Amino acid sequence: MNIGLPHLKKDGAKVDWVALEPVVSILEVIAVTSKTAHLNASKLFVDFMLSVEGQNLIRGFGRIPGRRGMEP
C-alpha cells in the first residue's frame, strides 16, 4: 500500500505541501570517545559547552546556541 503524498493527491485527497522560507540547519555535535586520552577533561569540556556560559560563547562566534531557553 502506497501512502505517499503524490499517491494521496492522485487519489483525490486535498493535501499539498507549502514551501516556506529557506531553512538551513547546521548540526553541532559534541561527544566523548571511548579512547580519549583524558576522560575527565573531556567530560568537563562537554559539560562546559552545554552550560549557559558555553552556549553564550557559541553565540559570541555568531552561531545559534542549542540550549533551550536561550535566545539566538
Side-chain angles (χ1 to χ4, degrees), residues 5-17:
L5 184 62
H7 181 71
L8 292 172
K9 286 181 69 170
K10 187 175 92 175
D11 289 346
K14 296 181 179 182
V15 296
D16 207 349
W17 66 278

Side-chain angles (χ1 to χ4, degrees), residues 4 6-7 9 11-12 18 21-23 25-27 29 32-33 37 42 48 51-52 54-55 58-59 63-64 70-71:
H7 181 71
K9 286 181 69 170
D11 289 346
V18 177
E21 293 184 25
V23 176
S25 176
I26 299 172
L27 182 62
V29 179
V32 176
T33 65
S42 299
F48 168 75
S51 72
V52 173
Q55 294 294 295
I58 289 172
R59 184 186 308 154
R63 307 303 288 255
I64 298 174
M70 293 194 70
E71 294 293 321

Side-chain angles (χ1 to χ4, degrees), residues 31-39 42:
V32 176
T33 65
S34 63
K35 299 187 188 249
T36 184
H38 304 285
L39 180 61
S42 299

